[in-house]
Amino acid sequence: MTKRAVLKTYQRFLERVSEEVLDVVSEKAGGGLAGRAIRRSAGVVTERIEEQMREQGRVLVEYTAARVRGEEDLSAYEREFLETNPVWNRYDGDGEAELRAHLLDHFEEAASDLEPLVASEAEDFWTALGEAYTRREAEEILDRHFSQAETFERYRDGVFSSRRIGDLVIDILETGEERFRASLDAELDRVYGE
């Protein structure tokens, strides 16, 4: 499968997650005119994070392709991944070394999960996923890689200016990500024939 096909699917996923998050923001603001105004304001922030995540997706797919090709020095990809990470860029706490290790472990795990897809002969993301993984494995992979709220929660003290803001943002992210993952069930049903 081409890097481009994997990246295109990943970017569509990010757009869908962002839309879910913005819908949650609007709902929590009470809908109506106020909800739409707050959604627009939140959209500016979400757009910046989405840009960083798109860059991260590009770096991840390029890193995975380099691994498939057997390249040895991959440190430049790790640096670029950190430079584009929204938690890393906002973190101002005492656990920087722990956060760095956590993010790079996630990067490594994501690349391992994507390797069979990037190496696949299939031209469709979902076909490659179905050929490489069982449904349960596919669900675990999607859960693992679309759960940014967990990282924000774990490192919240160094990211948010107050507990109240952290609680609100994490709640919105968790709800949006849960909705996104639930929306993938129909696609997984199609792929795995259930």
Side-chain angles (χ1 to χ4, degrees), residues 121-167:
E121 295 296 319
E123 286 299 316
D124 175 70
F125 175 87
W126 295 105
T127 302
L129 185 72
E131 291 171 355
Y133 295 105
T134 66
R135 176 165 183 152
R136 183 179 182 92
E137 290 169 334
E139 288 171 346
E140 288 171 0
I141 288 167
L142 293 169
D143 282 348
R144 203 166 35 240
H145 300 300
F146 290 96
S147 57
Q148 288 295 312
E150 289 177 16
T151 303
F152 277 102
E153 172 68 44
R154 185 170 174 180
Y155 297 97
R156 69 186 301 145
D157 292 340
V159 175
F160 300 108
S161 58
S162 75
R163 186 82 183 170
R164 187 177 64 79
I165 290 172
D167 287 346

Short mmCIF file of all heavy atoms in Angstrom, two decimals, residues 121-167:
data_model
loop_
_atom_site.label_atom_id
_atom_site.label_comp_id
_atom_site.label_asym_id
_atom_site.label_seq_id
_atom_site.Cartn_x
_atom_site.Cartn_y
_atom_site.Cartn_z
N GLU A 121 0.27 -4.96 -0.35
CA GLU A 121 0.03 -4.74 -1.78
C GLU A 121 -1.35 -4.12 -2.03
O GLU A 121 -1.62 -3.63 -3.11
CB GLU A 121 0.13 -6.07 -2.54
CG GLU A 121 1.53 -6.68 -2.50
CD GLU A 121 2.56 -5.82 -3.20
OE1 GLU A 121 2.26 -5.27 -4.27
OE2 GLU A 121 3.67 -5.67 -2.64
N ALA A 122 -2.23 -4.19 -1.02
CA ALA A 122 -3.58 -3.64 -1.17
C ALA A 122 -3.52 -2.12 -1.35
O ALA A 122 -2.66 -1.46 -0.78
CB ALA A 122 -4.43 -3.98 0.06
N GLU A 123 -4.43 -1.59 -2.15
CA GLU A 123 -4.46 -0.15 -2.39
C GLU A 123 -5.45 0.58 -1.48
O GLU A 123 -5.49 1.80 -1.48
CB GLU A 123 -4.80 0.14 -3.86
CG GLU A 123 -3.66 -0.16 -4.80
CD GLU A 123 -2.41 0.67 -4.51
OE1 GLU A 123 -2.54 1.89 -4.27
OE2 GLU A 123 -1.31 0.10 -4.51
N ASP A 124 -6.23 -0.17 -0.74
CA ASP A 124 -7.25 0.41 0.13
C ASP A 124 -6.87 0.18 1.60
O ASP A 124 -6.50 -0.94 1.97
CB ASP A 124 -8.60 -0.25 -0.18
CG ASP A 124 -9.70 0.20 0.77
OD1 ASP A 124 -10.10 1.38 0.67
OD2 ASP A 124 -10.13 -0.61 1.61
N PHE A 125 -6.96 1.22 2.41
CA PHE A 125 -6.60 1.13 3.82
C PHE A 125 -7.36 0.02 4.52
O PHE A 125 -6.78 -0.81 5.23
CB PHE A 125 -6.88 2.47 4.51
CG PHE A 125 -6.66 2.44 5.99
CD1 PHE A 125 -5.41 2.70 6.52
CD2 PHE A 125 -7.71 2.17 6.87
CE1 PHE A 125 -5.20 2.67 7.90
CE2 PHE A 125 -7.51 2.13 8.24
CZ PHE A 125 -6.25 2.39 8.75
N TRP A 126 -8.69 -0.03 4.32
CA TRP A 126 -9.52 -0.98 5.04
C TRP A 126 -9.24 -2.41 4.60
O TRP A 126 -9.25 -3.33 5.42
CB TRP A 126 -11.00 -0.62 4.86
CG TRP A 126 -11.31 0.68 5.51
CD1 TRP A 126 -11.52 1.88 4.87
CD2 TRP A 126 -11.42 0.95 6.91
NE1 TRP A 126 -11.76 2.86 5.80
CE2 TRP A 126 -11.70 2.32 7.06
CE3 TRP A 126 -11.31 0.15 8.04
CZ2 TRP A 126 -11.88 2.92 8.30
CZ3 TRP A 126 -11.48 0.75 9.30
CH2 TRP A 126 -11.76 2.11 9.40
N THR A 127 -8.96 -2.61 3.31
CA THR A 127 -8.60 -3.94 2.83
C THR A 127 -7.29 -4.39 3.47
O THR A 127 -7.19 -5.52 3.95
CB THR A 127 -8.48 -3.94 1.29
OG1 THR A 127 -9.72 -3.52 0.73
CG2 THR A 127 -8.10 -5.31 0.76
N ALA A 128 -6.31 -3.50 3.49
CA ALA A 128 -5.01 -3.82 4.09
C ALA A 128 -5.17 -4.11 5.58
O ALA A 128 -4.57 -5.06 6.11
CB ALA A 128 -4.03 -2.67 3.88
N LEU A 129 -6.01 -3.34 6.26
CA LEU A 129 -6.25 -3.56 7.68
C LEU A 129 -6.86 -4.94 7.90
O LEU A 129 -6.42 -5.69 8.79
CB LEU A 129 -7.18 -2.47 8.23
CG LEU A 129 -7.44 -2.50 9.74
CD1 LEU A 129 -6.19 -2.06 10.51
CD2 LEU A 129 -8.62 -1.62 10.10
N GLY A 130 -7.87 -5.30 7.09
CA GLY A 130 -8.54 -6.58 7.21
C GLY A 130 -7.61 -7.75 6.93
O GLY A 130 -7.77 -8.83 7.52
N GLU A 131 -6.66 -7.57 6.03
CA GLU A 131 -5.71 -8.63 5.71
C GLU A 131 -4.64 -8.79 6.79
O GLU A 131 -4.14 -9.89 7.01
CB GLU A 131 -5.04 -8.35 4.36
CG GLU A 131 -5.98 -8.48 3.18
CD GLU A 131 -5.38 -8.00 1.87
OE1 GLU A 131 -4.24 -7.45 1.87
OE2 GLU A 131 -6.04 -8.16 0.83
N ALA A 132 -4.29 -7.70 7.44
CA ALA A 132 -3.18 -7.73 8.41
C ALA A 132 -3.62 -8.07 9.83
O ALA A 132 -2.83 -8.62 10.60
CB ALA A 132 -2.47 -6.38 8.41
N TYR A 133 -4.87 -7.71 10.17
CA TYR A 133 -5.29 -7.83 11.57
C TYR A 133 -6.67 -8.47 11.70
O TYR A 133 -7.51 -8.31 10.83
CB TYR A 133 -5.33 -6.44 12.23
CG TYR A 133 -3.98 -5.78 12.33
CD1 TYR A 133 -3.62 -4.73 11.48
CD2 TYR A 133 -3.05 -6.22 13.27
CE1 TYR A 133 -2.37 -4.12 11.58
CE2 TYR A 133 -1.81 -5.62 13.37
CZ TYR A 133 -1.47 -4.58 12.52
OH TYR A 133 -0.23 -4.00 12.62
N THR A 134 -6.89 -9.13 12.85
CA THR A 134 -8.23 -9.58 13.19
C THR A 134 -9.06 -8.35 13.57
O THR A 134 -8.49 -7.27 13.82
CB THR A 134 -8.21 -10.55 14.39
OG1 THR A 134 -7.78 -9.83 15.56
CG2 THR A 134 -7.31 -11.75 14.14
N ARG A 135 -10.35 -8.53 13.66
CA ARG A 135 -11.20 -7.40 14.05
C ARG A 135 -10.81 -6.88 15.44
O ARG A 135 -10.70 -5.67 15.65
CB ARG A 135 -12.68 -7.77 14.05
CG ARG A 135 -13.50 -6.58 14.57
CD ARG A 135 -14.92 -6.65 14.32
NE ARG A 135 -15.56 -5.43 14.81
CZ ARG A 135 -16.65 -4.95 14.31
NH1 ARG A 135 -17.23 -5.54 13.30
NH2 ARG A 135 -17.18 -3.85 14.82
N ARG A 136 -10.59 -7.79 16.37
CA ARG A 136 -10.22 -7.37 17.72
C ARG A 136 -8.92 -6.57 17.72
O ARG A 136 -8.81 -5.54 18.38
CB ARG A 136 -10.10 -8.60 18.62
CG ARG A 136 -9.81 -8.26 20.07
CD ARG A 136 -9.73 -9.52 20.92
NE ARG A 136 -9.49 -9.20 22.29
CZ ARG A 136 -10.41 -9.02 23.19
NH1 ARG A 136 -11.68 -9.10 22.86
NH2 ARG A 136 -10.10 -8.75 24.44
N GLU A 137 -7.94 -7.03 16.96
CA GLU A 137 -6.67 -6.30 16.85
C GLU A 137 -6.87 -4.93 16.24
O GLU A 137 -6.31 -3.93 16.70
CB GLU A 137 -5.67 -7.11 16.01
CG GLU A 137 -5.16 -8.35 16.68
CD GLU A 137 -4.40 -9.27 15.72
OE1 GLU A 137 -4.65 -9.23 14.50
OE2 GLU A 137 -3.55 -10.04 16.22
N ALA A 138 -7.71 -4.87 15.19
CA ALA A 138 -7.99 -3.59 14.53
C ALA A 138 -8.66 -2.62 15.50
O ALA A 138 -8.31 -1.43 15.55
CB ALA A 138 -8.86 -3.80 13.30
N GLU A 139 -9.62 -3.10 16.29
CA GLU A 139 -10.29 -2.25 17.28
C GLU A 139 -9.28 -1.73 18.31
O GLU A 139 -9.31 -0.55 18.68
CB GLU A 139 -11.40 -3.03 17.99
CG GLU A 139 -12.60 -3.29 17.13
CD GLU A 139 -13.61 -4.25 17.76
OE1 GLU A 139 -13.26 -4.93 18.75
OE2 GLU A 139 -14.73 -4.32 17.25
N GLU A 140 -8.39 -2.61 18.76
CA GLU A 140 -7.38 -2.20 19.75
C GLU A 140 -6.44 -1.14 19.17
O GLU A 140 -6.09 -0.17 19.85
CB GLU A 140 -6.58 -3.41 20.22
CG GLU A 140 -7.38 -4.34 21.11
CD GLU A 140 -6.67 -5.66 21.41
OE1 GLU A 140 -5.54 -5.87 20.91
OE2 GLU A 140 -7.27 -6.48 22.14
N ILE A 141 -6.07 -1.30 17.90
CA ILE A 141 -5.18 -0.33 17.25
C ILE A 141 -5.87 1.03 17.15
O ILE A 141 -5.29 2.07 17.48
CB ILE A 141 -4.75 -0.84 15.86
CG1 ILE A 141 -3.75 -1.99 16.04
CG2 ILE A 141 -4.16 0.28 15.01
CD1 ILE A 141 -3.48 -2.77 14.77
N LEU A 142 -7.11 1.03 16.70
CA LEU A 142 -7.84 2.30 16.56
C LEU A 142 -8.06 2.95 17.93
O LEU A 142 -7.94 4.18 18.06
CB LEU A 142 -9.16 2.08 15.83
CG LEU A 142 -9.00 1.67 14.35
CD1 LEU A 142 -10.33 1.21 13.78
CD2 LEU A 142 -8.41 2.80 13.53
N ASP A 143 -8.36 2.16 18.94
CA ASP A 143 -8.52 2.70 20.30
C ASP A 143 -7.21 3.31 20.79
O ASP A 143 -7.18 4.38 21.40
CB ASP A 143 -8.96 1.62 21.28
CG ASP A 143 -10.44 1.29 21.18
OD1 ASP A 143 -11.17 2.04 20.51
OD2 ASP A 143 -10.86 0.28 21.77
N ARG A 144 -6.13 2.61 20.53
CA ARG A 144 -4.81 3.03 21.01
C ARG A 144 -4.37 4.34 20.38
O ARG A 144 -3.78 5.19 21.04
CB ARG A 144 -3.81 1.92 20.66
CG ARG A 144 -2.60 1.90 21.48
CD ARG A 144 -1.75 0.64 21.38
NE ARG A 144 -1.65 -0.05 20.12
CZ ARG A 144 -2.03 -1.31 19.93
NH1 ARG A 144 -2.56 -2.01 20.92
NH2 ARG A 144 -1.87 -1.89 18.76
N HIS A 145 -4.66 4.52 19.11
CA HIS A 145 -4.10 5.67 18.39
C HIS A 145 -5.05 6.85 18.27
O HIS A 145 -4.64 7.91 17.79
CB HIS A 145 -3.59 5.22 17.03
CG HIS A 145 -2.51 4.19 17.18
ND1 HIS A 145 -1.34 4.44 17.86
CD2 HIS A 145 -2.46 2.90 16.81
CE1 HIS A 145 -0.61 3.35 17.88
NE2 HIS A 145 -1.26 2.40 17.25
N PHE A 146 -6.26 6.69 18.74
CA PHE A 146 -7.18 7.83 18.75
C PHE A 146 -7.70 8.01 20.17
O PHE A 146 -8.89 7.99 20.44
CB PHE A 146 -8.30 7.64 17.72
CG PHE A 146 -7.77 7.75 16.32
CD1 PHE A 146 -7.42 6.61 15.61
CD2 PHE A 146 -7.54 8.99 15.75
CE1 PHE A 146 -6.88 6.72 14.34
CE2 PHE A 146 -7.00 9.10 14.48
CZ PHE A 146 -6.67 7.96 13.78
N SER A 147 -6.73 8.21 21.07
CA SER A 147 -7.05 8.44 22.49
C SER A 147 -6.08 9.46 23.07
O SER A 147 -5.40 9.20 24.05
CB SER A 147 -7.00 7.12 23.26
OG SER A 147 -5.73 6.52 23.11
N GLN A 148 -6.01 10.63 22.43
CA GLN A 148 -5.14 11.70 22.91
C GLN A 148 -5.54 12.22 24.29
O GLN A 148 -4.72 12.74 25.03
CB GLN A 148 -5.13 12.86 21.91
CG GLN A 148 -4.37 12.56 20.64
CD GLN A 148 -2.89 12.35 20.92
OE1 GLN A 148 -2.26 13.15 21.60
NE2 GLN A 148 -2.34 11.27 20.40
N ALA A 149 -6.81 12.08 24.62
CA ALA A 149 -7.29 12.56 25.91
C ALA A 149 -6.51 11.91 27.06
O ALA A 149 -6.24 12.56 28.08
CB ALA A 149 -8.79 12.29 26.07
N GLU A 150 -6.11 10.65 26.89
CA GLU A 150 -5.35 9.96 27.94
C GLU A 150 -4.02 10.65 28.20
O GLU A 150 -3.60 10.78 29.35
CB GLU A 150 -5.11 8.50 27.54
CG GLU A 150 -6.36 7.65 27.57
CD GLU A 150 -6.11 6.23 27.09
OE1 GLU A 150 -4.92 5.81 27.02
OE2 GLU A 150 -7.09 5.54 26.79
N THR A 151 -3.34 11.08 27.13
CA THR A 151 -2.05 11.76 27.30
C THR A 151 -2.26 13.12 27.95
O THR A 151 -1.50 13.50 28.86
CB THR A 151 -1.33 11.90 25.95
OG1 THR A 151 -1.18 10.60 25.37
CG2 THR A 151 0.03 12.54 26.12
N PHE A 152 -3.28 13.87 27.52
CA PHE A 152 -3.58 15.15 28.16
C PHE A 152 -3.89 14.95 29.65
O PHE A 152 -3.46 15.74 30.48
CB PHE A 152 -4.74 15.86 27.47
CG PHE A 152 -4.34 16.64 26.25
CD1 PHE A 152 -4.57 16.13 24.98
CD2 PHE A 152 -3.74 17.87 26.36
CE1 PHE A 152 -4.20 16.84 23.85
CE2 PHE A 152 -3.37 18.61 25.23
CZ PHE A 152 -3.60 18.08 23.97
N GLU A 153 -4.64 13.89 29.97
CA GLU A 153 -4.99 13.60 31.36
C GLU A 153 -3.73 13.29 32.18
O GLU A 153 -3.53 13.83 33.26
CB GLU A 153 -5.95 12.41 31.41
CG GLU A 153 -6.24 11.89 32.82
CD GLU A 153 -7.03 12.85 33.68
OE1 GLU A 153 -8.00 13.43 33.18
OE2 GLU A 153 -6.66 13.02 34.86
N ARG A 154 -2.89 12.45 31.65
CA ARG A 154 -1.69 12.01 32.37
C ARG A 154 -0.73 13.16 32.66
O ARG A 154 -0.08 13.19 33.70
CB ARG A 154 -1.00 10.93 31.54
CG ARG A 154 0.18 10.28 32.21
CD ARG A 154 0.63 9.09 31.42
NE ARG A 154 1.84 8.51 31.95
CZ ARG A 154 2.44 7.47 31.44
NH1 ARG A 154 1.95 6.87 30.39
NH2 ARG A 154 3.54 7.02 31.98
N TYR A 155 -0.64 14.12 31.73
CA TYR A 155 0.32 15.23 31.87
C TYR A 155 -0.37 16.58 32.04
O TYR A 155 0.21 17.62 31.79
CB TYR A 155 1.27 15.24 30.66
CG TYR A 155 2.09 13.98 30.61
CD1 TYR A 155 1.71 12.90 29.82
CD2 TYR A 155 3.22 13.84 31.42
CE1 TYR A 155 2.44 11.73 29.80
CE2 TYR A 155 3.96 12.66 31.42
CZ TYR A 155 3.56 11.62 30.61
OH TYR A 155 4.29 10.44 30.61
N ARG A 156 -1.59 16.54 32.53
CA ARG A 156 -2.43 17.73 32.63
C ARG A 156 -1.81 18.88 33.41
O ARG A 156 -1.98 20.04 33.06
CB ARG A 156 -3.79 17.36 33.21
CG ARG A 156 -3.74 16.97 34.67
CD ARG A 156 -5.05 16.46 35.23
NE ARG A 156 -6.08 17.46 35.10
CZ ARG A 156 -7.35 17.18 34.85
NH1 ARG A 156 -7.76 15.94 34.74
NH2 ARG A 156 -8.23 18.14 34.74
N ASP A 157 -1.10 18.57 34.51
CA ASP A 157 -0.56 19.64 35.35
C ASP A 157 0.46 20.51 34.62
O ASP A 157 0.61 21.68 34.95
CB ASP A 157 0.08 19.05 36.62
CG ASP A 157 -0.96 18.44 37.55
OD1 ASP A 157 -2.16 18.78 37.42
OD2 ASP A 157 -0.59 17.59 38.38
N GLY A 158 1.13 19.95 33.62
CA GLY A 158 2.09 20.73 32.86
C GLY A 158 1.54 21.31 31.58
O GLY A 158 2.24 22.01 30.85
N VAL A 159 0.26 21.03 31.30
CA VAL A 159 -0.35 21.48 30.04
C VAL A 159 -1.37 22.59 30.26
O VAL A 159 -1.40 23.58 29.52
CB VAL A 159 -1.01 20.29 29.29
CG1 VAL A 159 -1.75 20.77 28.05
CG2 VAL A 159 0.03 19.23 28.92
N PHE A 160 -2.20 22.44 31.29
CA PHE A 160 -3.32 23.38 31.48
C PHE A 160 -3.04 24.37 32.59
O PHE A 160 -2.39 24.05 33.58
CB PHE A 160 -4.61 22.60 31.79
CG PHE A 160 -4.99 21.64 30.70
CD1 PHE A 160 -4.86 20.28 30.87
CD2 PHE A 160 -5.48 22.11 29.49
CE1 PHE A 160 -5.20 19.39 29.87
CE2 PHE A 160 -5.82 21.23 28.47
CZ PHE A 160 -5.68 19.87 28.66
N SER A 161 -3.58 25.56 32.43
CA SER A 161 -3.35 26.63 33.41
C SER A 161 -4.16 26.45 34.69
O SER A 161 -3.83 27.02 35.72
CB SER A 161 -3.66 27.99 32.79
OG SER A 161 -5.01 28.03 32.34
N SER A 162 -5.23 25.65 34.61
CA SER A 162 -6.03 25.40 35.81
C SER A 162 -6.67 24.02 35.72
O SER A 162 -6.83 23.45 34.64
CB SER A 162 -7.12 26.46 35.98
OG SER A 162 -8.18 26.24 35.05
N ARG A 163 -7.06 23.50 36.88
CA ARG A 163 -7.72 22.20 36.94
C ARG A 163 -9.05 22.24 36.19
O ARG A 163 -9.40 21.29 35.48
CB ARG A 163 -7.97 21.84 38.42
CG ARG A 163 -8.50 20.46 38.64
CD ARG A 163 -7.37 19.49 38.63
NE ARG A 163 -7.87 18.13 38.79
CZ ARG A 163 -7.12 17.08 38.63
NH1 ARG A 163 -5.86 17.21 38.35
NH2 ARG A 163 -7.62 15.87 38.76
N ARG A 164 -9.79 23.33 36.34
CA ARG A 164 -11.09 23.46 35.69
C ARG A 164 -10.98 23.42 34.17
O ARG A 164 -11.73 22.71 33.49
CB ARG A 164 -11.75 24.78 36.13
CG ARG A 164 -13.19 24.94 35.66
CD ARG A 164 -13.80 26.23 36.18
NE ARG A 164 -13.15 27.42 35.68
CZ ARG A 164 -13.35 27.96 34.47
NH1 ARG A 164 -14.19 27.39 33.63
NH2 ARG A 164 -12.73 29.05 34.09
N ILE A 165 -10.01 24.14 33.61
CA ILE A 165 -9.81 24.14 32.16
C ILE A 165 -9.40 22.74 31.70
O ILE A 165 -9.90 22.22 30.70
CB ILE A 165 -8.78 25.20 31.74
CG1 ILE A 165 -9.37 26.60 31.93
CG2 ILE A 165 -8.35 25.00 30.28
CD1 ILE A 165 -8.39 27.72 31.74
N GLY A 166 -8.48 22.13 32.44
CA GLY A 166 -8.05 20.77 32.11
C GLY A 166 -9.20 19.80 32.10
O GLY A 166 -9.35 18.99 31.18
N ASP A 167 -10.06 19.86 33.13
CA ASP A 167 -11.22 18.97 33.20
C ASP A 167 -12.13 19.14 31.99
O ASP A 167 -12.59 18.16 31.40
CB ASP A 167 -12.03 19.24 34.48
CG ASP A 167 -11.36 18.73 35.73
OD1 ASP A 167 -10.39 17.94 35.63
OD2 ASP A 167 -11.80 19.14 36.84
#
